Amino acid sequence: FDFGDKKVNYFEHGFSSLINFEFKSNAHGSYEEIFSRYNRILNDGLKGFGIVNYVSSHDDSGPFDKVRKRPYESATKLLLSPGTSQVYYGDESARSLVIEGTVGDATLRSFMNWDEFSDNQEILNHWYKLGQFRRNHPAIGAGKHKMISEQPYVFSRTYSKDDFQDSVVVCLKNSEEKTEIDVSGIFKNDDILIDYYSGEKMTVKEGKVRTSSSHQVVLLEKI
């Protein structure tokens, strides 16, 4: 941190992980820009250390999506990014951060929007599925990121420590059409995979799988 008269690297003074105030700004970039950036940082200059990413916070007046017009994108970028993800209350239910009559930080700390849950169920489910997939797979937050293809956008994350290994492939597609996904560098032929997002099962043939899911997010794991 630059104080003006001096710069302090807190990682050199006992901190193993720090809140990342930059993520909410980086989140305006593309998925690959975000994911490759933090993969590079965490596997190079900050190797052995950690960061805590967020899209909104209790005292940050410049959240990624203040008016909650991009809740699906917020979840996808935050919960699939390398590093630790901090979900602020209401992120998962599109709680507005613009509250009439509030002053300063108070607009960020309104009551939870419980009464909107029934209307926002699809948004909640999106956050739930991504969060659960992240919880189940250390590779998402701590693994190495590699882009497989640009269109559709497909990437892998791999993590290994001692005898433990974890690998996943994620596809973020623009259409609801059937999609062929290259998984050859991660999974073997005849491996049976499941898309955690839709529940669809598929078998690897010639290094690829074909999903018929209408969802724009595909989260592939080996059964």
Side-chain angles (χ1 to χ4, degrees):
F1 184 81
D2 189 348
F3 284 95
D5 61 335
K6 62 180 178 180
K7 293 183 178 180
V8 177
N9 182 349
Y10 287 96
F11 290 110
E12 295 177 348
H13 296 278
F15 288 82
S16 60
S17 188
L18 292 172
I19 296 174
N20 178 20
F21 295 91
E22 188 180 68
F23 184 86
K24 54 82 180 285
S25 298
N26 295 147
H28 290 283
S30 69
Y31 290 109
E32 179 58 21
E33 286 173 339
I34 300 167
F35 299 160
S36 61
R37 171 183 176 82
Y38 287 108
N39 175 71
R40 183 174 63 254
I41 289 173
L42 291 169
N43 285 287
D44 187 11
L46 289 183
K47 188 174 180 61
F49 296 99
I51 55 174
V52 181
N53 302 320
Y54 68 86
V55 290
S56 58
S57 180
H58 68 285
D59 62 353
D60 191 322
S61 60
F64 169 65
D65 180 26
K66 194 168 188 176
V67 295
R68 303 299 197 186
K69 296 295 185 182
R70 302 157 75 180
Y72 295 97
E73 182 184 353
S74 295
T76 306
K77 287 180 172 177
L78 177 64
L79 296 176
L80 294 182
S81 282
T84 299
S85 295
Q86 171 187 285
V87 179
Y88 187 47
Y89 82 96
D91 282 345
E92 77 283 23
S93 57
R95 176 181 65 91
S96 177
L97 300 178
V98 180
I99 307 300
E100 185 178 354
T102 57
V103 177
D105 293 345
T107 194
L108 306 170
R109 311 182 192 195
S110 64
F111 291 114
M112 186 63 170
N113 58 333
W114 301 111
D115 57 338
E116 296 177 352
F117 269 40
S118 58
D119 295 331
N120 295 342
Q121 197 59 54
E122 288 188 10
I123 296 172
L124 283 163
N125 287 337
H126 183 70
W127 280 84
Y128 290 160
K129 289 177 180 178
L130 289 175
Q132 290 164 356
F133 189 71
R134 180 185 180 90
R135 176 199 62 193
N136 296 341
H137 292 284
I140 294 294
K144 291 186 177 181
H145 170 84
K146 181 180 179 180
M147 184 176 69
I148 296 174
S149 68
E150 291 185 8
Q151 188 62 38
Y153 178 54
V154 180
F155 66 86
S156 65
R157 294 280 169 79
T158 56
Y159 174 81
S160 62
K161 184 176 182 180
D162 300 326
D163 294 330
F164 177 79
Q165 292 188 340
D166 183 39
S167 300
V168 297
V169 171
V170 175
C171 174
L172 303 177
K173 53 196 182 81
N174 296 321
S175 71
E176 298 180 355
E177 299 177 356
K178 293 182 179 180
T179 304
E180 189 172 72
I181 303 171
D182 182 355
V183 298
S184 58
I186 304 300
F187 302 114
K188 299 177 181 178
N189 286 333
D190 297 324
D191 278 350
I192 300 176
L193 309 183
I194 187 169
D195 170 17
Y196 189 83
Y197 201 95
S198 68
E200 179 187 13
K201 295 181 181 179
M202 58 205 83
T203 302
V204 180
K205 298 294 182 183
E206 298 181 350
K208 298 178 181 180
V209 294
R210 189 171 180 82
T211 173
S212 59
S213 172
S214 61
H215 298 291
Q216 294 182 336
V217 176
V218 179
L219 307 173
L220 296 176
E221 60 185 4
K222 183 178 178 181
I223 295 180

